[in-house]
Amino acid sequence: MNNKNIDLKAPIGGLGASRRSFLKSSALAGGGMLLSFSWFAKAQAAQNMPALPEQWAELNGYLKITPDNVIKILCPNPEFGQNVMTSLPMMVAEELDADWKNVVVEMGPHDNVKLGPQFTGGSNSVKMYWKPLRNAGASARQMLIEAAAQTWGVSASEITTKAGVLSHSSGKSAKYGEMASKAATAAVPKEVKLKAPKDFSIVSHSKKNAEGLKVVTGQPLFGMDYKVDGMLIAMIQHPPAFGMKLKSFDAAAAKKMPGIKDVFSFKLYDDGFEQSGFDTRTFNEMIVVVGKTTWEVMNARKKLIVQWEPAGDLKETMMGRAGKKEVTVPGRLETTSSQFELMAEYAKKPAQQLRKDGDPEAAFKNAAQVIERTYNAPFLAHNCMEPMNFFAHVQDDKALVAGPLQAPSWVEPTLAKILNLPADKIEIQMTRMGGGFGRRAYGSYVYEAARISQKLKAPVKLIYTREDDMSYGIYRPMYTATYRAALDADKNLIGFHVKGGGIPENPVHANRFPAGAVDNYLAEGWEIPSNVTIGAFRAPRSNFNAAAEQSFLDEVAEAMGKDPIQLRLDLLKRAKENPVGKNNDYDAGRYAGVLELLRDKSGWGKPENAGKKRGVAAYFCHNSYAGHVVDMVMRDGQPYVERVTSAVDCGVVVNPDAAKNMVEGAVVDGIGNAFYGALTHKDGVAEQRNFHNYRMIRHNEAPQKIEVHFVQNEIDPTGLGEPPFPPVFGAVANALFKTTGKRYYNQPFMKNGANEGQKL
Amino acid sequence: MAKYNLKINGKSRQVEADPATPMLWVLRDHLDMPGTKYGCGIAQCGACTVHLDGNAVRSCSLPVSAVGKAAITTIEGLSENGTHPVQKAWIEHDVAQCGYCQSGQIMSATALLKSNPKPTDEDIDNAMSGNICRCGTYLRIKEAIKSVAQ
């Protein structure tokens, strides 16, 4: 039920830069070429691939060049707003030397053999596809050159390409489309040379969102918009509280309502089902109301008469990296204030040591000054603007499911198990997602839709109302952490200690900064099991740690009499030149580079900014580095972030304006969650059920200006969706101190709009 | 169930629905016009914004029986192919991230600009703060609106 929050940045399926993509080329019926490639199929298997049916070209071709010069590129990864449908095709088009105007982008089918891991999350998309997609583009380009060389009777080395045109010094030239059919018969090059970043003409040059026009004209892009003839609408009635289960129900009145087709209860997993990491589901037995239209189903659901009862402790079988594990999920009905009290109790108990350098006990014993601060944060609901939903049509021998999903490849094995169908009889279509933020990495709503369709033997779309989505979530966990710093008589930092825990997971990243920069260091963690389901939420754990650690460092700098940026730079210098301990998982040079850029661009410490109430924070997560300087003012008696300066090192920036958009969005999202985000419980019942009492940042609360700067380098891209998000919390907390004179230790900082900063 | 003659995007449309059915679901389920989005159902997020006689309204809280002879405009009716100045500005400023809320944002923005062609920042704040965007595209929304106003 509440699986561990698996790190989304963990390698998936063994796709590494060292593994060469396997490319296959074929001719298109009617002319043109089709280049597809596979990472996982062994070469022999691919060579023995049977003749491909015609529609294969339409469905599975990755890169298609038609005689009339249209270049169709399939996006392998599902889109949830991080703009991969533009940035990933840009990488192919760059090495192909395509004319971007002629590129048409479509979402690819679910096919891990041909399109790779297809996982959207962990800020991984651009990073994991950086080499394979460029390799594909470069290979196709080379084959077009070979075709032209043969046609013209010249050496391939004399042919150049630019914007979809092949040229030879003799004056001969041809558009790609003219050579595509012949290129399809050329051998796929064993090796291709990829461009140096300085030669990029598409990558690192801003391109508009490939689906921008469809978005602004209201085209049916999202799972919510998916519709087939005869499709029924389903809504689930789930238990009202975490820790409750279905006892009995009377559906007679609901069934009589207009448009209602059926009402029944179903079990998601059979008893003893072995759940893998992302099979998290909140409740196992639920009631579903199925009917013709959404409104009719909503109304009928209100007529259900249901008896619920305490579920008690539950045993679950979890399949993890370490094998099969029996887990007991406690049955208690949780209340937020008691949850915080319980965390405070656990924080006092001995915890698991995660890392120890030097002699931290002695450092704290001998310290002239010890600073100790505790930080708390509540559950957060993802609140994707598009609530969870999925279409399913399960038939006796096959199934089609379609909708918003971050990780189709994790869903497929479980679907196969619960539907008792072979995986190759299950088709998963990925629609554009109305937000994801980690929530749609958990496919339980897909399984629910499939179960319902299986029972009805009909096409069904399951829709969560906003209330369902919020009250029956897979939340960001609750966390607490106590930080301690030991200073000697000369105000040097001689010891650092972090002890963190949460419901139900420990947030501490033991090997991150300032580990490696302090001689005596201790990191510890603890966990409290819970029946409240949790999962990844934009930069899991980091979104709490950055808030706590970066606020703490601000206080440490103050106690040391140092500038907060300088303190970090001094520590990073130490970590770079003479690191303490092993396994420091950040690059101190890149981290410092972001802080230096931030200091420079924000005019930090400059006389002209002396009167500003500013907070700074920087953080490393998901392989990239980001920092912000937040300028805060009091407006109508409330703190308001007026301006933000951001600096990011994510390596090569593929689509600069879209990347800037994502950083701006991370800043706004970060301010909103830091100020207002909270999902609380009373006796297991989620107290926030819709946007009237779950406060989201709104237009008038967004900063007036966000200035985004990227470190210019030629490092392969390291990810962007998550890294700018966590440090916003810390920068906001530090700016709050400057603005109000008060330190904020408890999120959300503005409870119900009041400037409280107290525990919920 | 009752029959209604509605004027939507300049065309006459007939639907048969329960009088309390919100226009949002009439559009989406009865008329196959999915551009208007469901986000909250209680007029808190603005994803379902349409125009009723030119004014921005939340279609999730507008019963079909209350529409009467008023003209409804949805995102699909703004232009044939994305050529409305506000749609063009949205593309020019590359506003969308996930895009789910943007139909509603655009409908709120177009209603604002129609009644107030040169809105101040404060006017924009007032008109747009009923539309939530979790991706956080508010700054680009404001810039796009201002570019149309110029």
Side-chain angles (χ1 to χ4, degrees):
Chain A
M1 187 183 263
N2 50 59
N3 63 298
K4 285 281 293 176
N5 197 349
I6 288 168
D7 204 330
L8 299 186
K9 77 171 189 184
I12 305 142
L15 171 69
S18 60
R19 181 179 287 213
R20 235 180 61 78
S21 310
F22 182 79
L23 289 146
K24 181 168 175 61
S25 143
S26 43
L28 274 180
M33 83 182 285
L34 169 80
L35 190 69
S36 62
F37 59 112
S38 99
W39 285 294
F40 302 116
K42 289 195 172 119
Q44 300 92 308
Q47 278 160 7
N48 295 334
M49 208 178 269
L52 300 162
E54 202 174 303
Q55 68 272 24
W56 186 86
E58 292 307 320
L59 290 175
N60 293 340
Y62 180 75
L63 165 66
K64 189 158 87 170
I65 303 174
T66 65
D68 55 353
N69 292 305
V70 174
I71 295 174
K72 191 202 260 181
I73 301 177
L74 292 190
C75 179
N77 274 15
E79 174 69 77
F80 67 4
Q82 82 285 39
N83 213 6
V84 281
M85 282 190 75
T86 313
S87 55
L88 298 185
M90 282 171 74
M91 284 148 48
V92 180
E94 174 64 64
E95 296 289 346
L96 178 63
D97 272 342
D99 184 346
W100 183 252
K101 288 200 301 290
N102 293 337
V103 171
V104 174
V105 178
E106 279 181 18
M107 182 61 219
H110 178 231
D111 186 338
N112 295 143
V113 173
K114 296 188 183 74
L115 296 179
Q118 300 195 279
F119 164 65
T120 287
S123 303
N124 256 322
S125 296
V126 164
K127 177 170 164 270
M128 76 165 80
Y129 283 98
W130 176 241
K131 283 198 168 136
L133 292 191
R134 288 162 69 223
N135 201 32
S139 299
R141 173 182 167 272
Q142 192 57 42
M143 291 158 74
L144 288 159
I145 288 175
E146 290 296 337
Q150 282 177 32
T151 307
W152 297 336
V154 301
S155 163
S157 63
E158 293 167 3
I159 295 174
T160 57
T161 54
K162 194 178 176 185
V165 177
L166 296 140
S167 306
H168 184 254
S169 50
S170 62
K172 288 190 168 74
S173 79
K175 289 184 177 169
Y176 280 4
E178 297 169 51
M179 293 293 169
S181 298
K182 189 159 193 173
T185 63
V188 177
K190 284 200 172 62
E191 251 177 271
V192 285
K193 192 169 179 292
L194 299 178
K195 291 181 187 177
K198 68 176 172 50
D199 298 323
F200 289 158
S201 61
I202 294 175
V203 167
S204 300
H205 295 70
S206 298
K207 301 292 173 207
K208 301 284 187 221
N209 189 327
E211 292 201 308
L213 181 64
K214 291 179 185 169
V215 167
V216 304
T217 50
Q219 298 301 303
L221 294 172
F222 300 93
M224 276 293 221
D225 307 336
Y226 196 96
K227 191 168 188 178
V228 300
D229 285 345
M231 182 181 84
L232 298 166
I233 300 291
M235 282 191 182
I236 284 173
Q237 184 67 52
H238 62 82
F242 291 86
M244 299 290 280
K245 66 172 185 172
L246 177 63
K247 186 181 179 190
S248 64
F249 69 103
D250 175 355
K255 280 183 178 174
K256 281 186 202 143
M257 292 290 284
I260 297 308
K261 175 95 178 165
D262 205 350
V263 180
F264 55 92
S265 67
F266 70 102
K267 275 190 174 182
L268 194 64
Y269 300 141
D270 294 334
D271 295 342
F273 179 79
E274 293 175 356
Q275 292 185 47
S276 62
F278 285 78
D279 286 344
T280 307
R281 55 94 179 87
T282 307
F283 301 107
N284 200 51
E285 190 174 13
M286 290 156 285
I287 307 163
V288 61
V289 180
V290 188
K292 270 163 47 189
T293 66
T294 314
W295 182 246
E296 288 168 324
V297 172
M298 279 179 175
N299 282 327
R301 191 170 65 159
K302 291 180 193 153
K303 302 286 181 189
L304 284 172
I305 299 162
V306 192
Q307 304 292 317
W308 310 98
E309 63 184 345
D313 292 357
L314 295 173
K315 294 259 186 255
E316 297 197 335
T317 310
M318 306 298 298
M319 298 300 292
R321 287 179 193 162
K324 193 153 93 173
K325 195 167 75 168
E326 296 297 325
V327 179
T328 301
V329 179
R332 67 170 178 269
L333 304 181
E334 303 200 9
T335 295
T336 298
S337 53
S338 330
Q339 286 167 320
F340 276 118
E341 281 165 25
L342 194 60
M343 291 209 297
E345 268 175 47
Y346 269 67
K348 290 181 200 140
K349 295 180 185 179
Q352 187 193 356
Q353 182 179 304
L354 305 170
R355 170 167 169 158
K356 185 173 173 177
D357 297 321
D359 189 346
E361 291 83 0
F364 279 94
K365 198 174 154 199
N366 301 327
Q369 184 183 357
V370 171
I371 306 161
E372 177 177 326
R373 300 289 183 265
T374 296
Y375 301 84
N376 292 288
F379 291 113
L380 293 176
H382 289 81
N383 291 340
C384 304
M385 291 313 296
E386 179 192 20
M388 298 308 114
N389 67 87
F390 228 80
F391 169 85
H393 190 190
V394 178
Q395 294 168 274
D396 288 342
D397 57 345
K398 64 179 179 180
L400 165 67
V401 295
L405 183 62
Q406 288 177 234
S409 314
W410 300 348
V411 163
E412 188 184 75
T414 303
L415 268 182
K417 272 192 258 176
I418 65 173
L419 297 177
N420 196 23
L421 282 172
D424 63 4
K425 296 293 179 194
I426 297 171
E427 182 185 348
I428 303 177
Q429 288 179 15
M430 291 162 281
T431 60
R432 189 179 183 89
M433 288 175 264
F437 308 102
R439 175 63 183 87
R440 295 191 225 265
Y442 305 86
S444 55
Y445 54 97
V446 186
Y447 314 147
E448 289 168 352
R451 281 288 203 204
I452 296 163
S453 173
Q454 187 181 36
K455 169 85 189 288
L456 290 165
K457 298 186 187 297
V460 173
K461 184 163 69 186
L462 169 68
I463 295 176
Y464 283 24
T465 60
R466 176 59 59 192
E467 288 81 0
D468 295 333
D469 193 89
M470 210 179 279
S471 64
Y472 153 47
I474 295 184
Y475 307 116
R476 195 283 301 266
M478 286 178 78
Y479 294 123
T480 187
T482 298
Y483 284 79
R484 294 165 71 219
L487 305 185
D488 67 11
D490 298 324
K491 304 225 177 268
N492 295 308
L493 178 63
I494 56 168
F496 195 93
H497 176 204
V498 53
K499 185 175 176 184
I503 300 175
E505 68 157 17
N506 146 41
V508 175
H509 288 113
N511 294 319
R512 286 200 187 156
F513 183 77
V518 187
D519 286 313
N520 305 296
Y521 174 89
L522 177 64
E524 302 173 282
W526 50 267
E527 299 182 337
I528 302 173
S530 168
N531 54 33
V532 179
T533 39
I534 61 97
F537 181 107
R538 196 173 199 173
R541 298 174 291 284
S542 302
N543 57 40
F544 170 71
N545 293 334
E549 169 208 297
Q550 291 291 308
S551 304
F552 185 64
L553 284 178
D554 209 61
E555 278 200 71
V556 172
E558 193 187 17
M560 292 168 77
K562 275 198 179 186
D563 173 80
I565 292 184
Q566 195 57 48
L567 167 66
R568 289 165 172 85
L569 289 173
D570 291 348
L571 290 168
L572 288 163
K573 187 166 187 279
R574 168 70 202 276
K576 188 175 182 188
E577 291 174 357
N578 181 23
V580 180
K582 290 177 187 159
N583 304 322
N584 300 324
D585 63 3
Y586 60 97
D587 179 324
R590 290 181 73 187
Y591 204 145
V594 157
L595 278 160
E596 283 161 357
L597 182 66
L598 188 59
R599 183 169 63 180
D600 178 37
K601 295 294 184 185
S602 67
W604 183 263
K606 290 277 161 60
E608 63 267 29
N609 293 318
K612 289 185 178 162
K613 310 294 186 193
R614 314 191 103 179
V616 64
Y619 199 69
F620 157 80
C621 74
H622 295 87
N623 304 294
S624 290
Y625 302 79
H628 309 282
V629 167
V630 158
D631 293 349
M632 193 177 277
V633 295
M634 290 302 284
R635 188 180 72 170
D636 304 329
Q638 291 291 316
Y640 166 63
V641 177
E642 192 173 58
R643 189 188 170 96
V644 179
T645 310
S646 306
V648 180
D649 179 353
C650 59
V652 170
V653 179
V654 173
N655 193 7
D657 189 50
K660 194 168 159 271
N661 194 356
M662 195 144 57
V663 178
E664 292 163 4
V667 168
V668 173
D669 190 19
I671 295 168
N673 277 292
F675 269 5
Y676 315 121
L679 191 291
T680 59
H681 295 97
K682 184 164 171 45
D683 298 328
V685 178
E687 293 183 292
Q688 294 74 29
R689 311 187 77 79
N690 206 324
F691 296 128
H692 66 291
N693 64 356
Y694 195 112
R695 188 164 171 195
M696 306 281 284
I697 189 167
R698 289 177 180 271
H699 189 102
N700 61 326
E701 293 155 341
Q704 285 166 23
K705 191 166 178 63
I706 300 171
E707 207 180 89
V708 182
H709 303 276
F710 291 98
V711 174
Q712 301 296 316
N713 60 33
E714 297 193 353
I715 296 169
D716 287 351
T718 48
L720 187 62
E722 286 156 305
F725 182 65
V728 178
F729 292 72
V732 166
N734 297 337
L736 275 169
F737 172 63
K738 297 287 183 191
T739 309
T740 67
K742 212 174 96 179
R743 292 280 177 188
Y744 284 70
Y745 302 105
N746 302 306
Q747 290 175 33
F749 300 139
M750 305 294 127
K751 187 187 166 193
N752 299 326
N755 179 7
E756 294 184 19
Q758 302 300 312
K759 265 192 216 176
L760 287 162
Chain B
M1 296 289 248
K3 285 187 179 164
Y4 297 94
N5 279 310
L6 301 168
K7 196 172 145 200
I8 302 174
N9 297 335
K11 288 183 188 134
S12 177
R13 304 291 301 260
Q14 284 73 45
V15 293
E16 193 173 346
D18 176 82
T21 311
M23 268 312 297
L24 167 68
W25 299 113
V26 170
L27 290 167
R28 294 185 58 86
D29 285 354
H30 296 252
L31 297 171
D32 283 338
M33 296 172 69
T36 305
K37 303 301 183 201
Y38 167 72
C40 70
I42 57 166
Q44 290 289 314
C45 80
C48 67
T49 305
V50 299
H51 297 173
L52 190 71
D53 278 342
N55 299 312
V57 296
R58 313 301 182 210
S59 66
C60 72
S61 303
L62 173 69
V64 62
S65 56
V67 174
K69 293 189 185 322
I72 288 173
T73 308
T74 71
I75 188 81
E76 291 94 341
L78 220 47
S79 70
E80 282 286 319
N81 45 12
T83 51
H84 186 284
V86 173
Q87 289 170 317
K88 281 161 76 178
W90 245 247
I91 289 174
E92 184 52 36
H93 288 80
D94 223 11
V95 171
Q97 288 188 35
C98 87
Y100 190 79
C101 74
Q102 299 297 348
S103 293
Q105 303 277 5
I106 289 170
M107 295 313 286
S108 288
T110 47
L112 164 69
L113 286 161
K114 203 170 174 193
S115 64
N116 180 0
K118 301 259 179 218
T120 62
D121 280 18
E122 201 184 342
D123 294 336
I124 298 173
D125 281 353
N126 288 337
M128 299 305 295
S129 291
N131 290 76
I132 299 175
C133 171
R134 198 202 146 179
C135 298
T137 63
Y138 299 128
L139 278 79
R140 284 177 187 242
I141 289 170
K142 185 170 276 170
E143 288 306 311
I145 293 172
K146 285 163 90 168
S147 75
V148 177
Q150 275 165 11

